Amino acid sequence: SVVPFDMSGGPDILDEAVSTALQAASPSGIDIIVLNAGQYQCSPALDTNLDVALPDLMQINFASPVQLSQKLIQKDRWKERKHGHIVTIASLMGRGASPLNAAYSASKHALRGYFHALAAEEKSWLRVDVVLPGATDTGLWDNSY
């Protein structure tokens, strides 16, 4: 099942999304979560209003996917079941950077780093795939900072 929701909504929205997903799942629980959220930023680093852009970028691109995955792992008892698979969609900007993407790149580096560390810590039962796509023709470009 697909459970769409707004990743900028905060902890209550994340709790509601996990509850909705668990209700839609089979009795055996959820086996995989695909985290595909993003907000884009395109401006010179020193011209970016970080007071506005940074909190939103870090919440949507990093904090919400991390919090959502942790809530699901705990509520669906993945560790106890010794099974789970996380696929997170990061970006090529999470591996390197290019001009005009400093804050966006930082948020995707954080996402990639967190999930690689989680995979190393829980390798006996958790599979983590971090996908690094390049530029993709989506609405992401329309709402950039």
Side-chain angles (χ1 to χ4, degrees):
S1 297
V2 175
V3 180
F5 64 96
D6 183 358
M7 287 288 244
S8 65
D12 291 342
I13 298 296
L14 299 178
D15 286 332
E16 184 180 324
V18 169
S19 294
T20 301
L22 288 171
Q23 289 171 1
S26 70
S28 63
I30 294 172
D31 295 319
I32 184 171
I33 183 172
V34 179
L35 302 165
N36 186 26
Q39 174 67 48
Y40 189 62
Q41 170 263 336
C42 184
S43 62
L46 296 179
D47 293 342
T48 302
N49 182 344
L50 295 177
D51 292 336
V52 174
L54 198 55
D56 287 346
L57 288 168
M58 290 306 289
Q59 183 63 46
I60 294 169
N61 293 351
F62 172 68
S64 286
V66 167
Q67 292 166 333
L68 180 68
S69 64
Q70 189 174 64
K71 287 174 185 290
L72 177 65
I73 288 168
Q74 292 169 350
K75 287 187 179 179
D76 202 26
R77 302 179 344 274
W78 280 17
K79 193 168 187 172
E80 292 85 354
R81 293 193 293 139
K82 298 190 182 322
H83 183 271
H85 184 182
I86 298 170
V87 177
T88 187
I89 312 300
S91 169
L92 276 176
M93 294 298 111
R95 187 175 184 112
S98 67
L100 307 179
N101 299 134
Y104 174 79
S105 179
S107 70
K108 293 301 185 172
H109 272 82
L111 185 70
R112 181 172 170 254
Y114 177 86
F115 281 106
H116 280 194
L118 179 63
E121 291 174 9
E122 305 297 343
K123 64 184 175 188
S124 67
W125 63 271
L126 181 64
R127 176 178 172 179
V128 177
D129 295 311
V130 180
V131 180
L132 304 174
T136 306
D137 186 13
T138 68
L140 184 72
W141 304 90
D142 301 335
N143 297 318
S144 69
Y145 285 93

